[in-house]
Amino acid sequence: TQLLEQSPQFLSIQEGENLTVYCNSSSVFSSLQWYRQEPGEGPVLLVTVVTGGEVKKLKRLTFQFGDARKDSSLHITAAQPGDTGLYLCAGARTSGSRLTFGEGTQLTVNP
Amino acid sequence: DTGVSQDPRHKITKRGQNVTFRCDPISEHNRLYWYRQTLGQGPEFLTYFQNEAQLEKSRLLSDRFSAERPKGSFSTLEIQRTEQGDSAMYLCASSLDGYRGTEAFFGQGTRLTVV
């Protein structure tokens, strides 16, 4: 069983602060996806990383895939209240195969 | 809107009743996935299809659950003799072979409440 562990589980910060969310596994993934989910809605895809060491930037969000493709991180710079939500990492063992999700990080950014 | 569409958005049913959910994937996507999510948890995999073929089923998918994708387009998930433990958000996602990794796009989900 491939297990993805996310940390922290909960994060409450003030607007303007920086934060990092971690996603770790003992298994190698062919790709890793990050999603953001709001209450009552489905997860929305933010990014896909497939190459070990890959770094992708999406405005104030920076995603990194570990060199060994076992872990990933999401860094948010100058967080805003609109960043509030549940952040989920999900790994796929092969292209097109099912995703294994972490338990999520609930982020709250206070004005 | 060309995203993944799920129907209904909400379903309240009495214990013991059967329910059926529908998912319409992004039109050119050949893979379709079903997940279940309970409060405070990440989505758990149930089953997935490549075109009309059901390629994998989770052990979570008991005999009361069945999924079909008869023409390789839309899919249905049926739960027979519902139990209170079936209350959850049921999510459908689709992806396209040959794309980077498993770039799965999710629908808005169907919230099931069994009373």
Side-chain angles (χ1 to χ4, degrees):
Chain A
T1 301
Q2 303 162 6
L3 186 64
L4 272 171
E5 296 184 352
Q6 277 188 248
S7 62
Q9 191 174 356
F10 298 97
L11 191 54
S12 181
I13 61 172
Q14 294 300 121
E15 182 175 1
E17 292 183 2
N18 302 332
L19 67 114
T20 302
V21 177
Y22 299 94
C23 180
N24 297 298
S25 175
S26 57
S27 301
V28 175
F29 292 99
S30 74
S31 69
L32 198 136
Q33 279 70 222
W34 283 93
Y35 291 84
R36 179 167 164 266
Q37 186 177 25
E38 298 198 25
E41 302 292 329
V44 174
L45 180 65
L46 297 175
V47 78
T48 297
V49 285
V50 298
T51 305
E54 182 175 0
V55 176
K56 294 195 82 170
K57 292 191 175 184
L58 187 66
K59 296 183 181 178
R60 294 177 293 101
L61 278 60
T62 301
F63 305 85
Q64 185 162 8
F65 202 12
D67 291 341
R69 291 185 289 132
K70 293 182 179 181
D71 54 84
S72 181
S73 64
L74 158 61
H75 182 79
I76 301 179
T77 304
Q80 299 177 1
D83 296 327
T84 293
L86 180 68
Y87 289 82
L88 295 158
C89 65
R93 191 168 63 87
T94 59
S95 181
S97 68
R98 62 176 167 89
L99 294 172
T100 298
F101 279 84
E103 291 192 342
T105 295
Q106 181 62 53
L107 171 65
T108 302
V109 182
N110 303 299
Chain B
D1 186 6
T2 57
V4 178
S5 177
Q6 291 189 244
D7 183 67
R9 289 290 312 276
H10 304 274
K11 178 71 177 179
I12 300 174
T13 191
K14 292 183 178 179
R15 190 172 48 189
Q17 297 294 306
N18 300 342
V19 294
T20 300
F21 309 140
R22 177 179 171 122
C23 172
D24 287 90
I26 294 172
S27 58
E28 64 269 26
H29 284 188
N30 60 328
R31 293 197 184 226
L32 186 149
Y33 312 81
W34 286 99
Y35 290 83
R36 180 172 68 186
Q37 186 178 27
T38 53
L39 205 59
Q41 302 292 319
E44 295 177 299
F45 169 76
L46 293 178
T47 187
Y48 87 95
F49 296 83
Q50 181 178 22
N51 300 312
E52 65 274 12
Q54 189 171 18
L55 294 190
E56 188 177 355
K57 292 170 60 173
S58 165
R59 284 174 294 176
L60 292 174
L61 215 65
S62 76
D63 290 346
R64 298 184 297 107
F65 288 70
S66 63
E68 294 183 343
R69 195 183 182 198
K71 297 182 180 179
S73 56
F74 73 91
S75 175
T76 58
L77 177 69
E78 181 183 16
I79 309 175
Q80 296 182 328
R81 305 180 303 282
T82 52
E83 303 172 355
Q84 286 188 322
D86 297 331
S87 295
M89 173 79 91
Y90 289 83
L91 295 164
C92 176
S94 69
S95 71
L96 180 63
D97 273 352
Y99 218 75
R100 282 169 57 88
T102 297
E103 282 204 332
F105 295 86
F106 282 82
Q108 293 181 305
T110 294
R111 167 73 64 188
L112 173 66
T113 303
V114 182
V115 297

